[in-house]
Amino acid sequence: MNHEAQRSDLAPASSAVNPRGQPDFVQIVDVEKRFGEAVAVDHVSLSIRRGEMFALLGSSGCGKSTLLRLVAGLSMPDSGRIIVDGQDITHLPPYQRPVNMMFQSYALFPHMTVEANAGYGLRREGVARAELRERVAAALDLVQMGKYATRKPHQLSGGQQQRVALARSLVKRPKLLLLDEPMSALDKKIRQQTQFELGNILYSVGVTCIMVTHDQEEAMTMADRLAVMSEGQIVQMGTPDEVYEAPTSRFAAEFIGSTNLFSGVLLGDESRLFQCSDLEAPLEVQNPMNARGGLTVQISLRPERVTMSPLPPGQESNWACGKVEQIAYMGSYTLFYVRLVSGRLLAVDASRMAVCAMERAPSYGDTVYLSWGSECLVVLTQ
């Protein structure tokens, strides 16, 4: 979500000194965390730019939440360093860190009003009453909750409670905001709408964010960059489109979106052709990476990159023939599973427009031809 927005009065005090986009605002250097014999975070290093929304993405138990807790100070690393805006905070207690965390449960006090919840942290710090009222009002206006200031949490929807929790985090003007599964308590329809709203609010403030999520759509929608984690390590890091379009490992290719994976053998060191036992025709890859002749590699093909037709494609490579075995109507697209001659099942996402353009939509048992361009194939390096 790269866009410019007006900066808010709630922006961190240091933001005027170091402009947005300056690299290495947050540095996590060779951090390790163990729980007994189990390694939760395995020598992770990454840098996050000022004003960036960075997502840690992975399945349960991958180490992303542990890493977030290490940055928050809720747990201490066994080794490594954590630096925020030039300050080493590795061993500082949470209350001394220029960091605020918005928890998955929102953790609102049920007996307090919206206004009291938003200003709780400032009251604990002894901020003067006039300044407190001004900052709380600004925070609630920012998240469009000013008119609900006198309500209690039970009188709010899930999305509204989330905004109050966000206001409470931003009112303290943290240099770094940590978001722990920020959308998990919302239903799907509200979640999709809130992703953009939350992103716009955070960009208007200009605060640097680290978000933990297991929801790939959430990470792809909100993050400038993301890191895919597995077994305590970062498997791949980059912008959402880089990670989706050019996965480097089987895990990243399968975790971000869905993919068809082939095992292929390069036919020669100077060749771009791979022989695959599942296909009648060879695979021609635009960029074979560092593959060498005779070696078997994994090749990724996204289902939406496959074209389906009742007629042969008229090309020597990058095609297959099979019969439609399963059909799932998904609204904006239709998912087809095609059983190839080899017995392999291939997934094809056909857009609504592509299906309507066909003389007759494929049905169960129909013989179809599948084809794709060489630029659609990605050789996985891990």
Side-chain angles (χ1 to χ4, degrees), residues 325-337:
E325 187 166 298
Q326 298 178 39
I327 303 173
Y329 176 71
M330 309 299 288
S332 60
Y333 69 96
T334 301
L335 173 60
F336 295 88
Y337 283 100

Side-chain angles (χ1 to χ4, degrees), residues 7 14-23 49-51:
R7 299 296 296 278
S14 63
S15 61
V17 178
N18 298 309
R20 282 178 67 184
Q22 179 176 330
R49 296 185 282 267
R50 182 183 298 279

